[in-house]
Amino acid sequence: MVVGISLASMLVGVLGTVFPQNSRDRLLWWRDRRRYQEKARQHRGRAVPEPERQGP
């Protein structure tokens, strides 16, 4: 039980350092993340044709 509580508190501490704490920085982080997800979604929607093989 002690190990579980220790791991949970370490996880919370690490998450606090990863995400920005300033509200302005947090807003910019979420906007960039949303833009990235939209671009990734658009990229997944496009089928990239395979190049045609040339003869030997």
Side-chain angles (χ1 to χ4, degrees):
M1 182 154 180
V2 173
V3 172
I5 293 172
S6 297
L7 288 174
S9 64
M10 286 191 320
L11 179 65
V12 169
V14 169
L15 288 177
T17 60
V18 171
F19 292 103
Q21 299 302 313
N22 187 348
S23 62
R24 184 175 181 196
D25 292 339
R26 190 178 303 158
L27 177 62
L28 291 173
W29 185 86
W30 280 108
R31 284 182 182 167
D32 289 343
R33 183 175 187 271
R34 187 183 55 190
R35 284 186 198 134
Y36 172 79
Q37 287 179 337
E38 288 174 1
K39 286 182 182 179
R41 194 174 301 123
Q42 290 172 357
H43 182 70
R44 281 192 303 257
R46 284 189 234 154
V48 179
E50 292 186 24
E52 294 182 20
R53 293 188 179 192
Q54 298 293 328

